[in-house]
Amino acid sequence: MSTTDVLLIGAGPAGLACAATILAHSDLSVVVLDAGHGPGGQYWRQPAPAAGPNALVPGELADLHHDQTTFAELLQEVQRGRAEGRLELRSEQHVWSLVPVGDGYAAHTVDRAGGPSRTAGSTTRARAVLVATGAYDRALPFPGWDLPGVMTVGGLQALLKAGGVAAGRRVAIGGTGPFLLPVAAGLARRGSTVVGVYEANRPTLWLREARAVARNPAKLGEGAGYAGTLIRHRVPVRTGRMIVAAHGTDRVEAVTVARLDRAGRPVVGSEHRLAVDAVGVGWGFTPQLDLAVTLGVDRRPDVAGTEVVAVDDLQRTSRPGVYAAGEVCGVGGAALAVAEGTLAGAAIVADLGRGAAPESLVRQGRRSVDRLRGFADAILRAHPVPAGWADRLEPQTVVCRCEEVSYAAVRAAIDERGAGDARQVKQLTRTGMGWCQGRVCGYAAGLLTCGAPGPAVERLVSAPVPLGALADAAAGSDD
Amino acid sequence: MSTFTFDGGPVPFRPGQTVGAALVAAGRPAWRTTRVSGSPRGIFCGIGICFDCLVTVDGEPNQRACLVRAEPGQTVTTQEGTGHEHD
């Protein structure tokens, strides 16, 4: 077991900004636990550190990234903290439980740094803890979405950023939200033919968001950059369209795209079929709330009804000593996560009585959070899931990928046995009971039963724990 | 060129890649069959959330190919069902 003043869970933009702030304005010791192969989170995801003549080097993938300067600055602070012996950054650490112990908290972790056959357990105790666990892609079922080659857009992006791999030669991208654009642009830069980007919503929804756009000119510039790349590579971007089916036997070979009417329903007769060998779909992101939910911190709904962690204006949760920053407080992107991480760092040094961040830093952070949260809310309003997303589901379409539960079985649970929420569908059909614990199908199950995302699910163990690691944790708690 | 073996055959990789990235780069989109219908599966979420890309690595079943770093000489095998059928 190890003990530290502050434990940060997640080394993405929020966790790194929090670490940098604590290091700069206090003498507190910091441990950062992260599941990735190195710092950066999903946004600044890097290849695993490697040596050898043919090894991937981050530099060759730099063109796929945005705002590398901020990342470099944050990393420099973290490296300085490491050199001074004040910060420890541990990668490939999967925190599976975070519990209150004494006047602080203990994180039980599976250490996967040694590879599959050498996992171990560890426990870290701290007086203050930051939950900065990020978010994951939101997927919706459609016929053929379980064919190999169909992935989330985040999956395509991870293969590009961490592996330098374009997952297909001919790729279709679909769903909704601004994230579709950088993924399509990255694939085009790496030689894939992107046959189309099919954005379900029409840009007219953005007309209502003039204020949020005007306050965030940098976001507009970022979008224009991706649009330029897509135009140069002749990638068609079609709005009001949706991928309604993927076809193939052992792998995806084609998709069907349909036009959506004003009500968001696929129009009969508008379909066309395109040959592809990979597909990326994404309907926004779901905050990774497992640790926050089991700790019992207060939540609030975001503007689209998704539960997120409720925080005060310095990122304090309802539990003393627990802070949250980044996507867990509402999906909003890296710049917002950095601002929130900075504020959390300022709050932690003040609350533990071990320093003070300059008032100007806090003021600036609050202004950034306010402005960027406004833009994040605008994205959620302008990119809803279309009303007719489930119109083209077929009886045999798999809804729960792990337990292989069909749409017909889910429908029967709702229509014939009266299931009124995702939990009841789970009890009746095993939807959400498999390996992923509903992280993939839970959103769809919520929409099918109540037309809303539904409450965040409590998962007492938030990552798979090998028995050996569990024994290590039990031994650690006796200390 | 660094390689690991996949079901007995060599798969080249660049150090720093995951097992899953190397398999996709080698043109293999699937390496597992499901428990119920025996359907092929590979990477879906790519970040360790969905558990669709499970594979057996050096005898350890149920490893997420999207997370496990590729290492020279590693033995990777297709996973059928739960990965424990043949125990």
Side-chain angles (χ1 to χ4, degrees):
Chain A
M1 195 191 69
S2 65
T3 304
T4 180
D5 291 326
V6 188
L7 171 63
L8 312 181
I9 304 177
L16 292 177
C18 184
T21 307
I22 294 170
L23 290 169
H25 303 292
S26 77
D27 62 349
L28 292 163
S29 62
V30 178
V31 169
V32 189
L33 299 177
D34 186 74
H37 293 113
Q42 303 301 339
Y43 188 73
W44 289 312
R45 179 185 268 268
Q46 308 291 320
N54 196 31
L56 278 169
V57 289
E60 68 184 279
L61 303 166
D63 63 311
L64 299 171
H65 283 272
H66 194 77
D67 199 7
Q68 291 261 69
T69 318
T70 305
F71 183 46
E73 285 168 4
L74 293 173
L75 271 190
Q76 199 175 4
E77 290 299 310
V78 165
Q79 297 303 358
R80 200 196 334 248
R82 271 174 143 172
E84 291 168 0
R86 288 183 51 204
L87 177 138
E88 202 183 329
L89 171 67
R90 299 189 213 137
S91 296
E92 297 184 78
Q93 306 295 313
H94 298 245
V95 177
W96 57 272
S97 162
L98 178 61
V99 290
V101 174
D103 62 348
Y105 295 89
H108 298 299
T109 307
V110 181
D111 177 351
R112 296 190 178 273
S117 43
R118 282 188 296 279
T119 53
S122 72
T123 301
T124 308
R125 283 194 191 177
R127 287 172 62 201
V129 56
L130 174 79
V131 178
T133 43
Y136 50 85
D137 281 85
R138 188 168 263 178
L140 288 172
F142 60 99
W145 76 311
D146 51 337
L147 283 168
V150 180
M151 301 178 202
T152 65
V153 275
L156 290 175
Q157 182 79 323
L159 283 169
L160 273 176
K161 282 184 173 176
V165 175
R169 282 192 292 267
R170 286 176 59 82
V171 189
I173 303 285
T176 194
F179 183 54
L180 305 181
L181 301 179
V183 177
L187 285 165
R189 281 166 180 270
R190 284 298 179 278
S192 298
T193 299
V194 180
V195 299
V197 177
Y198 303 102
E199 161 62 58
N201 288 290
R202 292 184 168 82
T204 45
L205 284 179
W206 275 100
L207 295 176
R208 300 176 202 155
E209 310 294 347
R211 184 179 136 79
V213 173
R215 290 182 73 201
N216 290 275
K219 296 280 186 188
L220 214 55
E222 192 182 336
Y226 298 132
T229 302
L230 295 177
I231 288 165
R232 270 198 305 287
H233 291 275
R234 296 193 171 80
V235 174
V237 178
R238 301 271 182 264
T239 59
R241 300 282 194 291
M242 183 172 127
I243 296 172
V244 293
H247 315 280
T249 43
D250 289 333
R251 60 181 296 170
V252 66
E253 292 161 10
V255 289
T256 297
V257 175
R259 187 163 54 79
L260 300 174
D261 66 16
R262 293 286 154 189
R265 298 198 170 275
V267 175
V268 176
S270 71
E271 299 86 355
H272 69 285
R273 197 171 160 128
L274 292 151
V276 297
D277 60 359
V279 178
V281 284
W283 296 97
F285 300 90
T286 295
Q288 174 53 278
L289 293 190
D290 293 350
L291 296 174
V293 169
T294 33
L295 261 184
V297 302
D298 287 353
R299 274 103 62 197
R300 65 172 181 91
D302 71 11
V303 298
T306 301
E307 272 196 5
V308 302
V309 176
V311 289
D312 72 3
D313 60 0
L314 279 176
Q315 308 301 127
R316 298 181 186 98
T317 72
S318 59
R319 274 199 86 109
V322 180
Y323 305 77
E327 309 295 57
V328 291
C329 301
V331 170
L336 177 55
V338 166
E340 291 181 346
T342 304
L343 289 179
I348 289 168
V349 299
D351 294 350
L352 295 187
R354 292 275 287 274
E359 192 50 42
S360 61
L361 185 76
V362 172
R363 248 194 335 264
Q364 194 192 346
R366 280 199 190 128
R367 267 203 306 271
S368 297
V369 167
D370 181 51
R371 174 173 59 79
L372 292 162
R373 181 60 65 201
F375 194 78
D377 289 349
I379 289 177
L380 290 176
R381 283 189 297 262
H383 294 276
V385 169
W389 73 270
D391 287 6
R392 297 298 176 92
L393 295 184
E394 294 167 356
Q396 70 275 18
T397 303
V398 166
V399 172
C400 168
R401 302 169 65 95
C402 300
E403 295 294 310
E404 300 173 77
V405 183
S406 68
Y407 181 54
V410 172
R411 226 28 295 162
I414 298 167
D415 299 336
E416 290 159 32
R417 302 175 73 185
D421 59 26
R423 218 173 110 250
Q424 290 168 353
V425 169
K426 176 177 170 178
Q427 286 161 349
L428 291 169
T429 67
R430 301 191 59 81
T431 294
M433 219 178 260
W435 267 108
C436 90
Q437 287 291 292
R439 291 181 179 95
V440 176
C441 64
Y443 180 63
L447 291 185
L448 288 171
T449 46
C450 0
V457 175
E458 178 156 18
R459 301 184 180 99
L460 291 174
V461 174
S462 71
V465 188
L467 286 177
L470 204 57
D472 291 345
S477 60
D478 295 339
D479 293 356
Chain B
M1 177 64 86
S2 308
T3 59
F4 60 81
T5 67
F6 174 71
D7 287 346
V11 174
F13 69 91
R14 296 185 60 192
Q17 286 179 328
T18 61
V19 166
L23 287 169
V24 170
R28 291 177 179 273
W31 49 82
R32 174 174 86 91
T33 53
T34 59
R35 236 171 36 233
V36 180
S37 65
S39 308
R41 296 277 176 88
I43 284 184
F44 181 66
C45 82
I47 62 167
I49 294 294
C50 79
F51 297 84
D52 246 352
C53 66
L54 295 179
V55 75
T56 299
V57 178
D58 291 335
E60 299 283 337
N62 299 320
Q63 300 301 315
R64 284 165 280 181
C66 70
L67 298 186
V68 176
R69 274 175 295 171
E71 303 281 358
Q74 229 165 12
T75 303
V76 181
T77 50
T78 308
Q79 180 158 328
E80 289 171 22
T82 61
H84 292 288
E85 264 92 320
H86 306 297
D87 287 4

